[in-house]
């Protein structure tokens, strides 16, 4: 059965604002979600210089990632994994596969991925009760991390997680640990190291190759399995780790008008994706029936992966 839905209308973008007078440590989204002032380790969110037990792991991750994520590498990965011939399974089966993985690129959390997925989805659900497509997007946005699983080739973490960025054009200096890009072969390739590189102004992000990982893979899975999520949902899935864009405003010269409209939803989503991370557990069995109903609404029972 095919379900047709309209592109969601954005009535108001959730802006960050100071709560409680002069208390700048606590920020609130328009929907009421309280943004904590520190992560699970007591540090500022996405502070890659903070001393913590994960600092060296995260730094080594980005060194390897930035050296190896080349234009040619991404093209090979998209061709190989875009065939979607690894297996067939449902969305919830995939969620359960992620239980054993912890993201080495994340300085804010060291819990299994299912915890983060449910924290994100439930925080969005509370503040945007009528946007069920956004609840589901929160639940599935990281499912591409199954690339870490042996049955999917057990790719190294540098080829699955971490901040994403365009390949085929100059690496922007706002990228985390930018210095490691200097060892990437594309950094000195005159065809790929200019502002536009292989692209043109306003070409649209659909025409831009992003560093390979779980974002792009899950986007391909959803699109090729004919999800009925709106384009904003697919945009969030594909670009939620594209921090150079949605945090720093880099690479906007490659965007078209549809990208700019969808970016508004990504800005909303990102705050929940980032700031809902905590050590508070969600009762999986209590919320599972609701999310199963959304999976049935927007996806086929079995997907090709």
């Amino acid at each position: 059965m095919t379900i047709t839905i309209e592109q969601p209308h954005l009535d108001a973008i959730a802006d960050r604002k100071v709560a409680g007078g002069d208390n700048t440590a606590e920020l609130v989204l328009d929907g009421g979600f309280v943004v904590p002032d520190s992560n699970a380790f007591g540090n500022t969110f996405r502070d890659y210089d903070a001393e913590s037990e994960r600092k060296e792991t995260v730094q080594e991750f980005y060194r390897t990632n930035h050296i190896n994520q080349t234009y040619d590498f991404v093209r090979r990965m998209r061709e190989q994994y875009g065939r979607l011939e690894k297996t067939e399974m449902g969305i919830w089966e995939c969620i359960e596969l992620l239980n054993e993985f912890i993201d080495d690129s994340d300085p804010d959390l060291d819990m299994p991925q299912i915890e983060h997925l449910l924290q994100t989805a439930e925080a969005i659900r509370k503040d945007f009760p009528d946007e069920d497509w956004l609840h589901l997007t929160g639940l599935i946005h990281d499912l591409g991390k199954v690339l870490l699983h042996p049955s999917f080739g057990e790719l190294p973490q540098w080829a699955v997680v971490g901040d994403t960025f365009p390949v085929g054009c100059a690496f922007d200096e706002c990228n985390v640990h930018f210095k490691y890009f200097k060892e990437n072969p594309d950094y000195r390739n005159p065809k790929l190291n200019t502002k536009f590189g292989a692209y043109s102004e306003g070409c649209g992000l659909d025409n831009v190759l992003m560093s390979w990982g779980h974002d792009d893979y899950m986007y391909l899975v959803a699109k090729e399995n004919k999800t009925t999520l709106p384009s904003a949902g697919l945009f969030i899935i594909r670009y939620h780790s594209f921090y150079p864009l949605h945090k720093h405003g880099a690479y906007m010269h490659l965007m078209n008008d549809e990208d700019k409209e969808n970016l508004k939803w990504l800005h909303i989503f990102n705050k929940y994706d980032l700031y809902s991370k905590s050590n508070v557990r969600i009762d999986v069995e209590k919320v599972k029936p609701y999310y199963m109903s959304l999976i049935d609404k927007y996806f086929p029972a079995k997907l090709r992966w």
Side-chain angles (χ1 to χ4, degrees), residues 21 29 32 39 92-93 109 125 148 185 237 258 262 266 284:
L29 298 182
N39 62 19
W92 198 267
E93 292 175 80
L109 194 66
R125 181 184 175 189
L148 297 166
I237 291 169
E258 184 178 8
N262 285 332
L266 179 54
V284 178

Side-chain angles (χ1 to χ4, degrees), residues 92-103:
W92 198 267
E93 292 175 80
C94 185
I95 290 173
E96 293 177 337
L97 274 182
L98 291 182
N99 260 336
E100 58 193 89
F101 297 115
I102 293 173
D103 186 340

Side-chain angles (χ1 to χ4, degrees), residues 18-300:
V18 177
D22 295 328
N23 181 12
T24 57
E26 187 178 85
L27 298 175
V28 177
L29 298 182
D30 280 352
F33 175 69
V34 177
V35 177
D37 58 359
S38 62
N39 62 19
F41 301 101
N43 300 318
T44 304
F45 283 90
R46 287 181 57 82
D47 185 346
Y48 291 90
D49 296 318
E51 293 298 330
S52 77
E53 59 194 73
R54 291 181 59 75
K55 180 180 178 181
E56 290 186 8
T57 298
V58 173
Q59 184 165 317
E60 176 58 22
F61 164 86
Y62 277 107
R63 186 188 72 82
T64 310
N65 172 278
H66 290 354
I67 292 172
N68 291 287
Q69 288 276 2
T70 66
Y71 186 72
D72 287 341
F73 170 75
V74 171
R75 291 176 66 183
R76 291 197 307 271
M77 290 296 99
R78 284 196 117 229
E79 180 180 359
Q80 177 182 345
Y81 283 92
R83 301 187 192 111
L84 303 182
E85 57 186 14
K86 295 298 181 183
T87 190
E88 288 192 7
M89 63 178 169
I91 291 289
W92 198 267
E93 292 175 80
C94 185
I95 290 173
E96 293 177 337
L97 274 182
L98 291 182
N99 260 336
E100 58 193 89
F101 297 115
I102 293 173
D103 186 340
D104 279 348
S105 73
D106 193 342
D108 299 322
L109 194 66
D110 62 352
M111 295 174 66
Q113 288 300 299
I114 191 171
E115 300 292 338
H116 168 55
L117 297 179
L118 288 171
Q119 287 170 354
T120 303
E122 284 294 280
I124 293 171
R125 181 184 175 189
K126 180 179 179 181
D127 288 352
F128 294 87
D130 298 327
E131 306 290 351
D132 65 356
W133 66 272
L134 193 57
H135 311 164
L136 182 59
T137 300
L139 182 72
I140 69 172
H141 73 282
D142 274 346
L143 292 193
K145 291 179 181 179
V146 291
L147 291 172
L148 297 166
H149 197 275
S151 62
F152 283 77
E154 202 167 9
L155 290 181
Q157 291 227 2
W158 65 261
V160 180
V161 297
D163 288 9
T164 58
F165 46 87
V167 294
C169 61
F171 302 115
D172 194 278
E173 292 188 9
C174 72
N175 281 288
V176 172
H177 292 304
F178 171 81
K179 61 185 177 182
Y180 296 126
F181 283 118
K182 296 178 181 180
E183 299 179 59
N184 185 306
D186 292 353
Y187 184 80
R188 290 181 171 82
N189 185 333
K191 295 182 179 179
L192 304 175
N193 67 1
T194 62
K195 179 178 180 178
F196 294 106
Y199 314 113
S200 60
E201 186 169 9
C203 63
L205 293 180
D206 267 352
N207 297 306
V208 174
L209 290 183
M210 300 293 296
S211 54
W212 177 250
H214 72 280
D215 310 62
D216 206 20
Y217 178 58
M218 188 59 205
Y219 164 78
L220 292 174
V221 169
K223 181 181 178 182
E224 296 305 316
N225 282 282
K226 308 232 179 329
T227 180
T228 54
L229 285 172
S231 66
L234 289 172
F235 189 90
I236 289 169
I237 291 169
R238 193 178 193 189
Y239 302 113
H240 68 271
S241 301
F242 191 4
Y243 278 87
L245 171 66
H246 59 71
K247 181 178 181 181
H248 300 286
Y251 302 103
M252 291 192 70
H253 54 280
L254 300 176
M255 298 173 66
N256 59 25
D257 290 341
E258 184 178 8
D259 295 330
K260 293 172 184 176
E261 189 63 28
N262 285 332
L263 181 59
K264 298 173 185 177
W265 280 107
L266 179 54
H267 278 142
I268 288 176
F269 174 85
N270 174 250
K271 296 170 184 177
Y272 294 89
D273 182 22
L274 177 59
Y275 297 117
S276 66
K277 296 174 183 177
S278 73
N279 290 320
V280 177
R281 298 293 183 97
I282 302 292
D283 186 336
V284 178
E285 294 307 313
K286 181 178 179 180
V287 300
K288 181 177 177 179
Y290 173 71
Y291 289 105
M292 289 299 297
S293 71
L294 298 188
I295 291 169
D296 291 343
K297 178 178 179 180
Y298 290 105
F299 283 93

